[in-house]
Amino acid sequence: MHDRRPVCVVRCRTAEQVSAAMRFATANGYPVTVRGGGHNVAGSAVADGAVMIDLSPMRGVLVDAKAGVAHADGGCLLRDLDAATTRYGLACPAGVVSHTGLGGLALGGGYGWLARTWGLTCDHILAAEVVLADGTIVRAEGDRHGDLLWALRGGGGGFGVVTRFTLRLRPVGPVYRHVAQYSMDTADQALTAYGAFAEQQPDTLHTVGALKRVPRRGAGADEVVLRLTAAYFGDPDEGPRQLAPLLDAAPPKADSGQVISYAELQALGDHGEPAGARYYTKSAYLSTWSEPVTRPLLLAASEMPTRMSSIDFEYLGGAIAAEPEQESAFPRRDVPYMVTASAQWTDPAEDEENALWAREGIQRLGASRVPGVYLNYAQDTEWSSAEVFGDRRSRRLAEVKETYDPTNVLRSGQNTEAARPAPRASEGMPK
Ligand SMILES: Cc1cc2nc3c(=O)[nH]c(=O)nc-3n(C[C@H](O)[C@H](O)[C@H](O)COP(=O)(O)OP(=O)(O)OC[C@H]3O[C@@H](n4cnc5c(N)ncnc54)[C@H](O)[C@@H]3O)c2cc1C
């Protein structure tokens, strides 16, 4: 979808090679973009006329199980990290699709199954090896480049190229996973029950929802269904008892529960998001979960243009909200809900229809929306940096940018106003 032409793509294997690429770019006046896992929906890894530093050959992970720490290269995918750490019964909380890049996910925040239990991925960045815009290689740790480390924890990309993350690991064992499915005639009741349940659930339980279009049994048009999926990280035998209040309040049409490994849980989302499809996401934080939210969501679901699309929602809270605010640049820890309309399709002629569906679905949520957005799901620049981060954080991020990349060599398009490339008329997607 992002048909842009960099001047060159530099596939790096070491921090020194990243440094050489950076010096080449600055000496020749080229801006630089960074590719981690290549999953950013806005296509921030690639820009016309820029040098793209591609970290995909840098996927090594070293685990110090005794210290509960992993050293992961900047181009790792989530599956690289999980494969190395789960051998020791450890994991770093991360996203729900294992082919996502650790780099972009961690720098922008990192929501996932373990977030309510242990916090976001960015909360687990203990230190980072970073190549700065002038080619210098530094290690941000503790008070050494403390302002840079703070910005890397959820402030988005654009402050330097992280060639290695040092991440805190957490213990993980078998997980109880439960899926409950509802047809549209009971979805309203189930959505209401979801909110009441989710706000009471223990931090070791994460329950998410999705509205999807599925083929109807036999002939006829597709039907829309609601799926509530839970992962319980306490004693797996206790899982069914934890879910009982939800299932009693809203008996599903079909449901099943099983105990799986954490590695299996992490791979379950992989097939729904194939490479080569076209994607548009529109996301919002919500202050409440009530009829003015659930009704528009059901309406948007009824208008879903393709089977591959979905409306996803989750109650956040838990360790995400408990993390001290000042430790990281990540904003809006206190918002309770996030909703994302994810359009997925294949025919370029349907770009506009799909993007409009996602945008309108979210806009209908009206006053329940909290200003700002989760950077990693933002497809456009609807919100200013101050609206995303708040005034104080946004000013501090601008200062860090000024210190480490004063001439805005690294373009991420995400966080500080300075880092945003000028919008291009030819981008083609409706705002
Ligand atoms: C299928 C899919 C599933 C997803 N699931 C989740 C999820 O469960 N939870 C969640 O929170 N998010 C999720 N996301 C969103 C994801 O966090 C963002 O798309 C993120 O930008 C992906 O990072 P990447 O490295 O793959 O992306 P890229 O497109 O490679 O990079 C995006 C930006 O990140 C920066 N960047 C990446 N690596 C580095 C680095 N090493 N050093 C410096 N800058 C770097 C650059 O600014 C770059 O422009 C998902 C996205 C997709 C497409």
Side-chain angles (χ1 to χ4, degrees):
M1 275 186 71
H2 303 291
D3 189 12
R4 300 173 192 156
R5 311 296 156 112
V7 286
C8 61
V9 177
V10 190
R11 307 196 74 205
C12 299
R13 292 190 180 279
T14 62
E16 288 69 27
Q17 290 181 358
V18 172
S19 168
M22 199 71 99
R23 289 178 204 274
F24 164 79
T26 45
N28 292 282
Y30 295 122
V32 170
T33 64
V34 186
R35 183 192 189 280
H39 269 38
N40 185 272
V41 282
S44 62
V46 59
D48 287 325
V51 170
M52 181 208 260
I53 295 183
D54 180 358
L55 300 175
S56 51
M58 295 179 68
R59 291 173 57 181
V61 182
L62 266 173
V63 179
D64 182 343
K66 228 170 165 183
V69 164
H71 305 278
D73 287 351
C76 278
L77 304 184
L78 302 187
R79 63 165 65 124
D80 303 324
L81 185 60
D82 284 340
T85 61
T86 50
R87 265 191 256 163
Y88 302 97
L90 298 168
C92 178
V96 301
V97 173
S98 81
H99 46 74
T100 310
L102 169 69
L105 178 122
L107 296 173
Y111 291 109
W113 287 116
L114 281 173
R116 285 180 35 76
T117 308
W118 294 113
L120 303 167
T121 314
C122 68
D123 301 335
H124 291 75
I125 305 177
L126 295 173
E129 178 187 74
V130 189
V131 179
L132 302 178
D134 64 3
T136 317
I137 304 172
V138 299
R139 184 167 167 83
E141 182 170 25
D143 290 338
R144 204 154 26 116
H145 302 291
D147 50 351
L148 178 60
L149 186 59
W150 172 86
L152 298 177
R153 291 179 176 148
F159 300 99
V161 184
V162 179
T163 44
R164 184 163 292 182
F165 291 94
T166 300
L167 301 163
R168 183 193 303 281
L169 302 176
R170 306 293 189 174
V172 278
V175 185
Y176 178 73
R177 176 179 180 266
H178 191 278
V179 183
Q181 183 160 308
Y182 301 85
S183 49
M184 275 306 96
D185 49 348
T186 55
D188 214 356
Q189 179 197 353
L191 286 174
T192 306
Y194 171 78
F197 173 77
E199 291 178 21
Q200 299 299 322
Q201 66 190 331
D203 291 355
T204 43
L205 182 61
H206 191 27
T207 315
V208 306
L211 288 154
K212 295 268 317 162
R213 230 175 80 179
V214 297
R216 203 184 287 273
R217 268 206 197 131
D222 287 357
E223 64 171 328
V224 175
V225 297
L226 166 67
R227 271 188 208 137
L228 299 179
T229 305
Y232 180 57
F233 295 95
D235 175 358
D237 293 339
E238 274 289 296
R241 200 177 63 80
Q242 295 291 342
L243 267 297
L246 174 65
L247 304 176
D248 289 346
K253 190 172 176 188
D255 71 329
S256 66
Q258 55 184 155
V259 179
I260 57 175
S261 70
Y262 178 74
E264 284 172 306
L265 176 73
Q266 285 298 90
L268 284 174
D270 286 2
H271 300 298
E273 318 270 357
R278 303 176 83 75
Y279 295 91
Y280 187 89
T281 61
K282 188 77 189 167
S283 185
Y285 285 130
L286 301 176
S287 55
T288 59
W289 189 259
S290 55
E291 213 181 289
V293 170
T294 56
R295 279 277 150 94
L297 288 184
L298 289 171
L299 179 61
S302 70
E303 297 168 352
M304 208 174 299
T306 71
R307 270 184 201 165
M308 296 96 85
S309 303
S310 62
I311 295 175
D312 304 290
F313 55 88
E314 58 190 305
Y315 176 73
L316 304 168
I320 304 165
E323 179 74 12
E325 284 269 327
Q326 70 280 4
E327 298 296 320
S328 69
F330 190 82
R332 306 255 179 261
R333 287 183 177 276
D334 54 339
V335 287
Y337 291 97
M338 182 164 63
V339 173
T340 307
S342 300
Q344 189 191 134
W345 69 104
T346 50
D347 184 352
E350 294 168 5
D351 283 1
E352 187 144 336
E353 178 196 350
N354 281 278
L356 274 177
W357 168 76
R359 295 184 66 80
E360 281 178 8
I362 293 300
Q363 270 158 11
R364 282 195 198 123
L365 299 170
S368 307
R369 288 177 73 184
V370 175
V373 67
Y374 174 40
L375 266 193
N376 278 347
Y377 291 163
Q379 184 116 22
D380 51 48
T381 49
E382 180 190 7
W383 304 102
S384 68
S385 170
E387 284 165 326
V388 172
F389 288 99
D391 286 337
R392 200 170 39 85
R393 273 196 161 67
S394 148
R395 272 200 305 274
R396 190 166 167 199
L397 282 170
E399 282 164 22
V400 178
K401 179 77 177 168
E402 182 62 29
T403 306
Y404 291 95
D405 182 17
T407 57
N408 192 21
V409 174
L410 281 150
R411 306 285 162 90
S412 98
Q414 290 185 298
N415 40 13
T416 66
E417 302 300 338
R420 292 182 178 186
R424 292 182 342 139
S426 62
E427 217 68 319
M429 299 304 290
K431 294 276 185 257

